[in-house]
């Protein structure tokens, strides 16, 4: 689907775009600071914009880059309009049936570590790292979506990966000392 536009392929439908990329949009808006309780609504809003603008998509950029730009704008609007409401509301996480407690705890610790690492980065580096290493997007697509020079994107991604490796090594070193003591 990347590279195709509705002008090139009039059969490109909102349903196809949604099926292929809803998970990506969901993860992107979550990483852009949208509260768990509002994810569904924000993703819905993103696809309302996609519905209105699908015929404008010309295929010059990857579809994921185009969707990222829309998701970023919708998420920014959400954050601006809901900062006060988020402070007043607290929503308990949804219960789920997951793996055994030990595996679940290990997964939650790993996820918390990654979230803490990402939270410590500025927005540009957080999105660069998340889009490349979590979403698997190619750096040229990410550079275009973030408005970065390609070499700058590669350089910042490499530096961020090095920070992540050091953070992992530090965490594992603390674990080793705790287990030995």
């Amino acid at each position: 689907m990347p590279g195709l536009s509705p002008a090139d392929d009039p059969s490109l439908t909102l349903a196809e775009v949604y099926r292929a990329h809803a998970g990506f949009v969901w993860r992107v808006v979550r990483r852009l600071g949208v509260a768990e309780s509002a994810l569904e609504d924000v993703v819905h809003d993103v696809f309302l914009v996609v519905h209105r603008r699908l015929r404008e998509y010309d295929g010059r950029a990857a579809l994921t880059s185009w969707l990222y730009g829309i998701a970023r704008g919708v998420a920014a609007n959400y954050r601006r309009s809901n900062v006060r409401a988020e402070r007043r509301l607290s929503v308990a996480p949804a219960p789920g049936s997951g793996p055994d407690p030990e595996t679940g705890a290990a997964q939650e610790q790993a996820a918390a570590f990654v979230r803490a690492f990402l939270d410590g980065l500025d927005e540009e580096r957080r999105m660069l790292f998340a889009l490349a290493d979590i979403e698997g997007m190619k750096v040229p697509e990410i550079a275009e979506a973030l408005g970065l020079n390609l070499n700058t994107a590669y350089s910042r991604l490499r530096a961020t990966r090095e920070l992540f490796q050091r953070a992992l090594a530090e965490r594992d070193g603390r674990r080793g000392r705790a287990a030995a003591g």
Side-chain angles (χ1 to χ4, degrees):
M1 213 177 291
L4 290 180
S5 73
D8 298 332
D9 180 7
S11 67
L12 183 64
T13 66
L14 177 65
E16 291 170 333
V17 173
Y18 183 84
R19 273 192 298 275
H21 300 290
F24 168 76
V25 170
W26 185 280
R27 292 184 302 273
V28 165
V29 297
R30 190 160 133 220
R31 285 190 195 96
L32 287 169
V34 173
E36 291 287 328
S37 60
L39 282 173
E40 189 173 336
D41 290 336
V42 173
V43 170
H44 177 76
D45 290 346
V46 168
F47 281 99
L48 284 174
V49 173
V50 169
H51 175 66
R52 283 194 312 267
R53 295 180 49 199
L54 187 59
R55 296 293 164 224
E56 297 171 21
Y57 174 66
D58 60 11
R60 285 185 298 177
L63 187 58
T64 51
S65 297
W66 185 71
L67 289 170
Y68 171 80
I70 293 171
R72 185 176 180 186
V74 172
N77 289 340
Y78 163 80
R79 285 192 317 270
R80 276 193 300 272
S81 65
N82 290 308
V83 169
R84 288 186 189 133
E86 280 184 25
R87 287 185 202 147
R88 285 183 255 140
L89 297 176
S90 66
V91 178
S97 59
D100 66 86
E102 188 174 315
T103 303
Q107 288 174 342
E108 183 53 40
Q109 287 174 348
F113 171 78
V114 173
R115 279 192 301 273
F117 174 77
L118 291 172
D119 288 345
L121 299 173
D122 61 70
E123 181 179 339
E124 181 181 275
R125 290 179 192 268
R126 179 175 54 246
M127 290 312 302
L128 184 63
F129 183 81
L131 290 172
D133 290 348
I134 297 172
E135 293 300 332
M137 282 179 68
K138 295 183 182 345
V139 177
E141 292 176 46
I142 299 167
E144 183 179 331
L146 297 177
L148 292 173
N149 173 285
L150 183 59
N151 290 333
T152 301
Y154 276 116
S155 174
R156 290 181 182 165
L157 180 59
R158 186 186 74 250
T160 306
R161 285 174 172 163
E162 289 171 2
L163 281 173
F164 185 70
Q165 290 302 319
R166 284 196 297 266
L168 274 175
E170 183 180 313
R171 181 192 71 159
D172 292 344
R174 281 194 306 256
R175 274 191 185 163
R177 287 190 298 273

